[in-house]
Every structure is written in C-alpha cells, then in structure tokens.
Amino acid sequence: MAAPAVIFFLLFAVVPLLGVVVLSFMAWDGLGTPVWTGTANWTRVLSDPVTHNALWLSLVVVVVSWAVQTPLAILLGVFMAGTQKYRSFLSILYFLPLLFSAAAVGIAFKALLDPNFGLGNALGVRALAQDWLGNPRLALLTVLVIVAWCFVPFHSLLYQGAIRQIPTSMYEAAMIDGVGRVKTFFHITLPQIRNTIITSSTLMIVGSLTYFDLIFVMTNGGPGNATRILPLDMYLRGFRAYDMGGASVVGVLLAAVGLTVSYLLNRAARTSSMDSQMEGA
Amino acid sequence: MLSNNFGLYFLNSVFVTAATVVVVLAVSIMAAYVIVRNRSRFSSALFSGLLLGIAIPLQATIVPVYYLIVQLGLYDTLWALILPSIAFAIPISVLILVNFLRDVPGELFEAMRVDGASDWQMLWKLAVPLAKPAIITVGIYDALQVWNGFLFPLILTQSAENRVLPLSLWSFQGEFSVDVPAVLAAVVLSVVPVLAAYAIGRRQLVSGLTAGFSK
C-alpha cells in the first residue's frame, strides 16, 4: 500500500538527489549528452567569487529570516491563541499573504516600491520614494522584509495551534502563584512549545534556503549580484548560462547545508529535552 | 490579461492542482496507514526517508528533475508539473496524516481485524473517515502550494498553451512592464479565485492547519 508513495518519492526526489551529485561531476549544457569531467565543475564553482557571494547572502538570509520571523511568529501566535476582541478579524488579515502566489506578491510589491510610479511618489513622501529594489545596499533588506511578511503568518499559525494545546491548568497555577505575564511566557509557554519551535525552524530554514519565486520575480538576483542567493545562482547558472554541471554543484551545496542544519537542530532539540527532563526530576 | 488567455491559464492551473492533490492524498493516506499500522523496519525506514525529504531542500534537485522530465518525453506538458509536484508534496502530507492517524485508538483497528476486515477495508472504512479533517487540511495545503508554484512551471514548461497562472503573471509583466496598472489588474485577477475559495473554506482551513501541523 505504501508502494505508490515510495515509487513517486524515489523517482522524483531520491533519484534526483543522487542525480544532482552525479551531474555535479559532468559537463552538460541542458540539451546534449552529459559528459564526465571529474572535479572540474567543483574547482570552478568553488573558486568563483559569485558563489562565495551567493553562499554569504544565503547565510544572511537564513540567519536574519530566522532571527526576525521566529520571535514575531511566536508573539503573534500567543496573541492569536488568546481571546481578544479583534482577534478573529486580525487572524483573517494575517492569513492573506499565505494565499497569494509569490509571483503575485513580487509583482505587486515591485510596482508599489517603484521609485517613479510607486507608493512613495503617489503619497508624496520623499523618504519612501527610494529605489528599494534597484539600490544594491537596500535590495536584500527590502526582499527580507517582504519575505518575512509572506512567511510569518504561516509560522504564527503553527505556534497558535501549539499554544492552544498547552493545558490551561498550568496558566491557572501560575496565576494563583502571582507570576507575571512575562515570566509565565518564558517559564510555561516557551518550554511547552519547544517541539513546535524545532518544526517551525526546520521548515523556515529549509524554506529560506530555497526562496526563489519572490526574489526571482522582484530582482532576478540583482542589482549586480546583490540578491543572488544560492537558488538563484543555481537557476542562473543552469537555465540561463546553460552550465548544468555548475548548477548541480550549487544544488549539492544547498542540499548539504539543509541536511546539516536540520540534523543539528534535531540534535539540539533532543539534548535540550533531556536536560529539561532531568531538571524536572 | 483577459484577452491574453487568462481562461486557458486558469484551467491549466485547475487541472495541475486537482490532479496533483488527488494523487498526493491517495498515495499519502495509504503510506501513512502502513507507517502507523505496520511497526516493521521497512515502515520506520520509509518514515525517516520521507522526513529527510522535509529536511533537505528538494528544489536543490531541480537540474536532475529537468533531465528526468526531458528523458521521459514530458518536457513542456502539464504532466511535467504534476509528477514532480506529487513527489515534493508527499513528505509533508504523510507527516501530517501520520501525526493524525497515530491518535486513532488501535482497538478500533483490532476490532475490525477480528471481524475479518482486510487492510483495504480498514483503510477505507475506518482510517479515511476518521482522518477526514487531516485529509482536508493536507488537501488544501498542497493545493495552495501547487496553485502558487512557480519554479516547476518556469523550468519544465515553455509554450504559452502550457502556462499556469503564476507564470502567466510573470510573463505578462515582462511584456507590459511599462503598463503598471494593467499588470496590477492581472495580479488582482489572479488572486480572486484563491480569495473566493478562502472565503468559503476559511474555518476549516485555519483550524485544520493549526491542528495538523502543531503535533
């Protein structure tokens, strides 16, 4: 009964995963037959400053996205799990970015942020009429803000669900003991949603390693190489420069980084859960 | 946009999304059933393999996927989008369904087994009805992902007749980059169907997603 799922997953995920390693040692322009070239792609791509830049940018994107989105998502999750008056209305608003395609979001923001036709000029606010996506110093920052706008709602939804499952008796006990809200948050809410933090972080990190649609639509990796993160580097090498071997090297890097990070996260999670159990005993 | 084959792109998106979701749901519920009910080495290996699919960015494999699709003779067809989309949606779908099915008391299955039910009957008459909320959640989540998908259409299709909505927005923008209002109108038009679906199924979607992911 598991066979169909296994076959699909083997054919379109496991085989390509092995295939990307094999192709990283071959020269292929996307049309002819791949030819074995040994480590040529690897030495070329690894010594290319464009790759170094892409690796660095991807690292920045992963770290900044995680550091910005996780606290925001947790706080929003706490808020949405509560019983405030405007909660349901706000929950509808928060949900919207989840529904739209990255292409639609990217195109809309590109128009809104246009220095000549965009929102800044329309409102007559000089400070807003920047070339947000065309200025190499602002482009990555702008992209990161929009990416956060897109993804925080999904993660706050995860946290909302996790927080709702915390037994209310724990909060009642804290209230009777006269523990303040901040202390309650750090001593009850955060430890109780530890597993969700791991799940959300894994999804967030793998997700930010593969951000493609939005950045491709908004900047195409530019200006210069200012937003050319690893997935864009992979696409531009493979499907624009017809260097599939080089693109495969970048693909292997991406997969390796993703696997390493998830492994470390899971190990950290296991250690911390053992620690806390011992504390409790 | 309307005069630019919006209807065709819309139908392409509907076909790709529907075909993907139906197959993903069918194969994922079967796999989840095996993982929950068969405590064999195979099923736990299968589960860890699928979990790896979540941990590794599968988009990293786009070059071999392209190669495979070309070799299968499916390049620039809608099937080129459906087959990899199914594979990429399986890990998270199985994970959510397994989390849900694990909470079904084993006694229910044992009772059916005693009555002589086969695995198929237990799957269809017990697991599927009980897991309905999770199935709906997974279905909506996968549908959103596929409907909004951009990378596969960009790489695996070429001609206008196989264009799906997100890609059509992008190419429309390329052709009419000066006409900002027209491009924005197209964006709004593309969002309307999703918004309509959301307005109808909001409660189910939000409660399903919060419950389904946070176990």
Side-chain angles (χ1 to χ4, degrees), chain A residues 157-189:
Chain A
L157 207 64
L158 299 190
Y159 288 119
Q160 182 195 350
I163 290 163
R164 287 233 174 105
Q165 285 175 4
I166 302 174
T168 47
S169 57
M170 296 184 80
Y171 289 106
E172 282 155 12
M175 223 168 76
I176 291 165
D177 291 345
V179 182
R181 283 177 98 175
V182 177
K183 251 191 154 174
T184 312
F185 174 76
F186 281 104
H187 290 278
I188 299 177
T189 311

Side-chain angles (χ1 to χ4, degrees), chain A residues 34-98:
Chain A
V35 182
W36 190 263
T37 53
T39 53
N41 293 326
W42 281 89
T43 41
R44 179 165 41 85
V45 171
L46 289 183
S47 61
D48 187 349
V50 175
T51 318
H52 302 164
N53 179 58
L55 259 171
W56 168 246
L57 291 183
S58 273
L59 188 72
V60 171
V61 168
V62 168
V63 172
V64 173
S65 296
W66 186 83
V68 170
Q69 293 179 26
T70 302
L72 270 178
I74 293 178
L75 289 178
L76 270 176
V78 169
F79 173 73
M80 281 157 69
T83 48
Q84 286 86 350
K85 252 188 179 171
Y86 301 109
R87 192 176 48 87
S88 62
F89 174 69
L90 286 173
S91 305
I92 298 177
L93 276 188
Y94 291 142
F95 205 85
L96 291 180
L98 256 177

Side-chain angles (χ1 to χ4, degrees), chain B residues 137-206:
Chain B
T137 298
V138 172
I140 297 174
Y141 180 77
D142 291 338
L144 265 178
Q145 299 290 321
V146 179
W147 182 268
N148 288 334
F150 186 81
L151 186 64
F152 287 155
L154 178 70
I155 286 173
L156 303 174
T157 66
Q158 193 175 33
S159 54
E161 73 219 54
N162 293 318
R163 221 170 258 168
V164 289
L165 271 183
L167 198 66
S168 74
L169 282 182
W170 174 71
S171 49
F172 185 70
Q173 184 212 224
E175 284 167 52
F176 300 92
S177 54
V178 202
D179 195 353
V180 175
V183 171
L184 283 182
V187 168
V188 171
L189 198 57
S190 80
V191 162
V192 168
V194 186
L195 269 187
Y198 175 58
I200 298 166
R202 191 181 75 82
R203 238 163 235 294
Q204 175 64 46
L205 177 60
V206 177

